[in-house]
Amino acid sequence: MPHTVYSPTERFWLAALAVFGSVAVNGAFFYGLLTQPGSLKAALTNPISLAFLVEALLVLGALAYLLGKWGVGRLSWGWFLILSLAGSMAFALPVVLLWRGRRSSTPTS
């Protein structure tokens, strides 16, 4: 199956997005957990933040399904889910798209 080839500029911005998702998004989450221990419980009991959380999980599931269906990444949809839940979607999406795996065929445009 042919795969998408990214230009050096596209690869740079996808890698920058992965770093931002890993450092900034996860950093803010863990900073909040450490400095305000009750904030997670408060967020989970707040109906507005809970609505955003449910929406994010629905989008995560839909995006995982579509990534698998489109075959744009070398990692499976399951890896996208694991990386997203362990990190963030801003981290997982570029990692799944840029992951270099062994290919038996030559890439086509």
Side-chain angles (χ1 to χ4, degrees):
M1 173 189 299
H3 67 279
T4 305
V5 177
Y6 298 102
S7 71
T9 302
E10 291 170 327
R11 295 183 68 77
F12 170 80
W13 285 111
L14 285 169
L17 179 60
V19 170
F20 176 80
S22 179
V23 174
V25 176
N26 288 342
F29 177 76
F30 286 116
Y31 176 79
L33 280 181
L34 294 174
T35 61
Q36 299 174 356
S39 62
L40 183 60
K41 183 179 179 185
L44 293 175
T45 57
N46 182 322
I48 295 171
S49 63
L50 194 56
F52 281 108
L53 178 64
V54 169
E55 180 188 22
L57 290 173
L58 289 172
V59 170
L60 174 65
L63 191 53
Y65 168 77
L66 290 172
L67 287 172
K69 182 173 178 75
W70 294 333
V72 295
R74 291 185 177 109
L75 294 178
S76 71
W77 62 268
W79 277 109
F80 174 71
L81 284 177
I82 291 168
L83 291 169
S84 293
L85 294 173
S88 68
M89 280 191 273
F91 165 71
L93 185 60
V95 169
V96 168
L97 294 177
L98 294 176
W99 188 265
R100 292 184 182 261
R102 284 190 237 172
R103 285 279 181 174
S104 57
S105 63
T106 49
T108 58
S109 300

